[in-house]
Amino acid sequence: MSPAQALGLLSAASFHYAAGLGVIRFVLPLAAEALVEDLFLVGALVAVPNAVAFFLDARIGGYTDRVGKKKPLLAGLVGMMVLGYLLP
């Protein structure tokens, strides 16, 4: 695979990931509000991704400083592909 093809593949995967995340962040509160009457639970559900990022960003940043950026990037890309295939 040439570097241009690899960059194209990475760009396409990143675009699909960002587009899907944008749709989920828009639809999730609406769906949760229809299922749950307590708005506190809806807010907690929407806050979970940001809370996870808050606690993991520094640790993942330290890890990438130690091992470099290529391995975590490839692991994340493979993880997204596997989860995208396994989840409905």
Side-chain angles (χ1 to χ4, degrees), residues 78-88:
V78 169
M80 284 191 309
M81 290 188 306
V82 168
L83 286 176
Y85 180 74
L86 293 177
L87 296 176

Side-chain angles (χ1 to χ4, degrees), residues 46-57:
V46 171
V48 165
N50 294 326
V52 169
F54 176 77
F55 289 111
L56 292 182
D57 277 350

Side-chain angles (χ1 to χ4, degrees), residues 31-52:
E33 189 176 16
L35 296 173
V36 178
E37 293 182 13
D38 188 9
L39 291 180
F40 175 78
L41 292 176
V42 173
L45 182 64
V46 171
V48 165
N50 294 326
V52 169

